[in-house]
Amino acid sequence: MRQTLDFPLRRRIHIKKWLTGRTMRYLTELFGAFFGSLALACLSIGSKTLPAAACLCAVLKGTRAAASILGALCGYFLMFDFLDALEPAASGVMLFCLGAILRQAEIPTSTRTRCFLAFCTTCSVGLIYAVGLGGPVLFVLVLRCIVAVLTVLFASQLIHEQRPAALTPEVRSHRAADALRQVSRLLRTRNTNDRPGDVAALYDCVCDKVCLRCSGYLACWERGAEDTYRHLRAAAPRFLHRGSATAADFPTEFLANCRQPDSFVAAVSEELNVSLSQLQTQHRREEYRLVLADHYRILSQLVSARAPRTAKAQPRFRPELGVRAMGRRGSRISGDQGACFTQSGILYLLLCDGMGTGSDAAQEAKTAISLLSGFLKAGAQPEEALQLLNGIYILRGNGCFSTVDLLMLDLSSGTGELFKWGAAPSYLVTRRSVKKIGTATPPPGVGNESQPERLWLSLQKGEKLVLVSDGAYGPATELCLASMTAADPQKIASEVVAQHAADGEDDMSAVVLCLRPDETASTIP
């Protein structure tokens, strides 16, 4: 459900449109000018410099219309001693008109400038009127205006808030990275007080439930407390190892003296289940905490404007790729998805096999491809990108995952690393042999302690790397590759999938990669 923030009065009071129009705004400003005249007249005792400066500084961040009106009012009351023939009400109307004129005028000035302009205009009118009052009066009036202007300028500089200097993207990135690293460190700080009770606490709960109501409580827990503790300590390792308690776990002497042995054993089993559940919950919470700590640490490195990995020199090889995929029983929808892209002379090749078959598996594999590609293009190292994917699977906790084959190859040297996590073994084909590389491992998402298999390889002498999904792996694949060591990658990929098309019980995909020497490879994006 969409939630919006609103003021309660706006939901309870319906304001007429004519009350919010231009006429109502003019009336409001008119009354404001009038009552403002009276208020300032009452507050102006002796010199008018202080109230003028206060009013001008108060509207530095206000609207331009209010600034014009209040500036004109301050200018008028600076002259109030000499212009006593003008009534405050009439002056308020006059100043309102002046403010309205200044507001409507197309003057590209700021709020402070409009306020100061209205102030000077009103003072100028007062000085012209005071010319006929005599030299001494005019001198005092001019002196007062000068002091007021200087006071206003000084006060405005004191309260004016300087805008902070605009931060550069690099500075913002470093500050964000520092904040993320701090969050990671806080998440890795373990609370030693947050742990479930031990065996003593378990026995205390059992005693409260069973023994306190038993008539033999004094005999077991006071007079024979030492023997009771000894018997219970001897029984603890047995039922803790099994995860449940039986009467056979406790010494015969203890069972003979206990007046409610069945109830006691049942209570121990019940509390043991509760304790084990608490341990599992704590373990899961600890795992989630460490996953989030790793995520914040990796994200802090990405935010700190770290550049993606680049080739050591100009690329000397051009990748040649062969791809063939087929869904279960010939379906067009395959749960195997792949991606290949180059970045700064580094080739990245991905093959992901979503759990199961059909559209759900395809969506799971597409999500894994999208996440890993995005992390790699953002500058993450392959092991960091895989760790982020593993953490996402753990936090999601729905049992859905995707296996991963991730190749990072330097096109300048022809060497790189292959990361395998839960994927079927791959093959390295030369003109004389076919070598199986990698072993079957649990997929990402089964635990924060698991890590991908990391293999170093070289394709600089014409070797071919063959990545296959579970549906295209088996003895037939190895025999097929042994008979086609000199074939081009696309033909090899098609033939590998064709060997398993008759079975068709799983999605089948094969990706074959080899490097060709080419001087124009430096133009690869």
Side-chain angles (χ1 to χ4, degrees):
M1 180 178 179
R2 185 178 180 183
Q3 297 181 351
T4 58
L5 297 178
D6 203 349
F7 293 100
L9 289 179
R10 291 185 61 183
R11 294 196 295 265
R12 298 178 185 176
I13 301 176
H14 301 281
I15 302 176
K16 300 295 183 181
K17 291 185 178 180
W18 66 271
L19 292 176
T20 60
R22 179 176 297 180
T23 303
M24 197 62 191
R25 289 201 302 269
Y26 274 96
L27 291 176
T28 304
E29 292 172 1
L30 176 59
F31 281 105
F34 174 72
F35 288 107
S37 304
L38 297 179
L40 284 174
C42 297
L43 294 175
S44 299
I45 302 175
S47 176
K48 310 303 184 298
T49 302
L50 186 58
C55 290
L56 285 177
C57 294
V59 297
L60 287 179
K61 292 188 176 181
T63 62
R64 292 186 293 179
S68 301
I69 293 173
L70 289 181
L73 286 173
C74 293
Y76 166 73
F77 283 105
L78 191 65
M79 310 287 177
F80 191 74
D81 294 340
F82 306 97
L83 303 180
D84 51 359
L86 297 176
E87 296 294 334
S91 65
V93 175
M94 184 264 300
L95 296 173
F96 160 74
C97 296
L98 177 61
I101 293 172
L102 291 174
R103 183 186 61 185
Q104 296 297 332
E106 295 296 332
I107 304 175
T109 54
S110 62
T111 302
R112 188 197 306 181
T113 306
R114 280 181 176 264
C115 181
F116 191 70
L117 179 60
F119 175 78
C120 293
T121 303
T122 309
C123 289
S124 301
V125 174
L127 289 175
I128 294 174
Y129 176 77
V131 170
L133 299 180
V137 175
L138 183 60
F139 175 77
V140 173
L141 199 55
V142 171
L143 183 62
R144 179 180 292 183
C145 289
I146 295 175
V147 174
V149 170
L150 294 177
T151 306
V152 169
L153 292 177
F154 179 72
S156 64
Q157 291 298 325
L158 288 180
I159 69 170
H160 179 62
E161 296 182 1
Q162 296 290 338
R163 286 188 176 182
L167 298 178
T168 62
E170 291 77 11
V171 174
R172 288 199 300 267
S173 299
H174 285 302
R175 290 186 179 181
D178 291 339
L180 291 173
R181 278 193 293 270
Q182 185 177 3
V183 173
S184 177
R185 288 193 296 267
L186 289 174
L187 288 174
R188 287 192 173 276
T189 303
R190 184 176 181 180
N191 185 6
T192 56
N193 296 327
D194 186 16
R195 59 180 62 179
D198 53 9
V199 178
L202 184 147
Y203 282 137
D204 288 340
C205 294
V206 173
C207 181
D208 293 339
K209 290 182 177 180
V210 180
C211 299
L212 287 178
R213 305 174 184 177
C214 180
S215 58
Y217 174 79
L218 296 178
C220 293
W221 293 101
E222 291 190 7
R223 291 190 297 271
E226 184 177 351
D227 294 336
T228 301
Y229 287 135
R230 178 167 49 83
H231 295 323
L232 294 180
R233 281 197 301 269
R238 303 172 187 172
F239 62 73
L240 287 176
H241 178 73
R242 190 187 313 108
S244 61
T246 62
D249 297 329
F250 295 89
T252 306
E253 183 180 355
F254 173 80
L255 296 176
N257 295 330
C258 182
R259 301 185 181 182
Q260 302 183 45
D262 295 337
S263 299
F264 187 87
V265 173
V268 170
S269 296
E270 181 180 353
E271 291 299 324
L272 183 61
N273 290 333
V274 173
S275 180
L276 292 177
S277 177
Q278 292 176 350
L279 286 173
Q280 293 175 355
T281 302
Q282 184 191 25
H283 177 73
R284 189 179 302 110
R285 185 168 60 249
E286 289 289 320
E287 187 177 40
Y288 290 168
R289 182 175 58 82
L290 294 177
V291 166
L292 288 176
D294 288 338
H295 280 198
Y296 280 110
R297 176 184 57 81
I298 296 173
L299 290 177
S300 69
Q301 297 174 358
L302 295 180
V303 170
S304 61
R306 184 179 61 182
R309 181 176 293 185
T310 59
K312 299 178 180 179
Q314 288 294 325
R316 298 188 298 110
F317 297 96
R318 174 178 54 86
E320 184 176 345
L321 202 64
V323 180
R324 183 70 173 96
M326 182 182 297
R328 180 173 178 263
R329 297 178 181 176
S331 173
R332 295 183 178 180
I333 301 177
S334 175
D336 303 335
Q337 301 291 324
C340 182
F341 61 92
T342 58
Q343 183 170 256
S344 301
I346 302 295
L347 173 70
Y348 293 96
L349 179 61
L350 291 165
L351 177 62
C352 293
D353 182 3
M355 185 183 68
T357 59
S359 58
D360 292 340
Q363 184 60 40
E364 192 66 38
K366 287 180 181 178
T367 302
I369 290 288
S370 177
L371 289 173
L372 291 174
S373 299
F375 291 141
L376 292 172
K377 292 177 181 179
Q381 302 300 323
E383 56 270 24
E384 295 174 345
L386 291 172
Q387 201 63 38
L388 287 171
L389 180 66
N390 180 60
I392 292 172
Y393 285 160
I394 293 175
L395 294 175
R396 191 172 58 178
N398 59 359
C400 296
F401 55 82
S402 174
T403 65
V404 178
D405 275 309
L406 194 163
L407 173 67
M408 180 185 65
L409 197 66
D410 190 334
L411 294 178
S412 64
S413 62
T415 60
E417 290 180 295
L418 176 62
F419 296 84
K420 300 182 66 64
W421 208 344
S426 301
Y427 299 93
L428 191 61
V429 181
T430 64
R431 290 188 175 273
R432 298 182 179 180
S433 64
V434 176
K435 181 181 179 182
K436 184 170 68 174
I437 58 176
T439 57
T441 59
V446 298
N448 196 39
E449 296 82 9
S450 61
Q451 296 292 330
E453 187 178 9
R454 192 169 182 175
L455 305 170
W456 182 89
L457 52 85
S458 173
L459 302 181
Q460 59 185 347
K461 295 183 179 180
E463 299 91 341
K464 299 180 180 68
L465 175 66
V466 182
L467 305 179
V468 296
S469 62
D470 290 338
Y473 170 74
T477 301
E478 192 166 349
L479 293 175
C480 176
L481 294 175
S483 63
M484 302 181 65
T485 56
D488 62 272
Q490 184 58 52
K491 186 175 182 180
I492 294 176
S494 300
E495 190 64 26
V496 167
V497 173
Q499 293 293 323
H500 298 271
D503 301 334
E505 293 302 323
D506 197 358
D507 299 323
M508 296 159 284
S509 295
V511 180
V512 183
L513 172 68
C514 69
L515 299 180
R516 306 296 187 190
D518 194 343
E519 296 297 333
T520 63
S522 59
T523 62
I524 296 178

